[in-house]
């Protein structure tokens, strides 16, 4: 379903960003990479989908959660 209003588009984008943020944290947890509150907050508060996509890719190989932001 495609939404027409700016309000709906904005909230749809926020939902996608939230889903990507949750995926990043799940990937890190599944790989047993410790995540600090600071890293968790930074990931969850990000709404830039391109940035989140980059972090998803980095989460797959990061040795430390902080490596997402390199």
């Amino acid at each position: 379903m495609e939404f027409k209003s700016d309000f709906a588009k904005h909230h749809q984008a926020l939902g996608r960003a939230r889903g990507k943020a949750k995926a990043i944290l799940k990937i890190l947890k599944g790989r047993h990479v410790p995540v600090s509150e600071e890293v968790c907050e930074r990931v969850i508060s990000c709404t830039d989908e391109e940035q989140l996509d980059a972090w998803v890719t980095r989460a797959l190989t990061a040795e430390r959660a902080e490596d997402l932001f390199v």
Side-chain angles (χ1 to χ4, degrees), residues 8-43:
K9 288 179 183 178
H10 173 74
H11 284 280
Q12 189 178 36
L14 286 177
R16 284 191 308 269
R18 181 174 290 136
K20 290 178 183 188
K22 286 182 178 181
I24 292 164
L25 297 174
K26 283 184 180 185
I27 291 167
L28 293 172
K29 182 178 179 180
R31 295 186 57 241
H32 306 286
V33 175
V35 178
S36 68
E37 277 295 316
E38 182 180 308
V39 169
C40 184
E41 183 60 36
R42 186 169 174 186
V43 170

Side-chain angles (χ1 to χ4, degrees), residues 21 46 49:
C46 182
E49 288 190 70

Side-chain angles (χ1 to χ4, degrees), residues 1 4 12 21 54-55 61 68:
M1 170 191 259
K4 303 290 183 200
Q12 189 178 36
W55 290 348
T61 59
L68 295 175

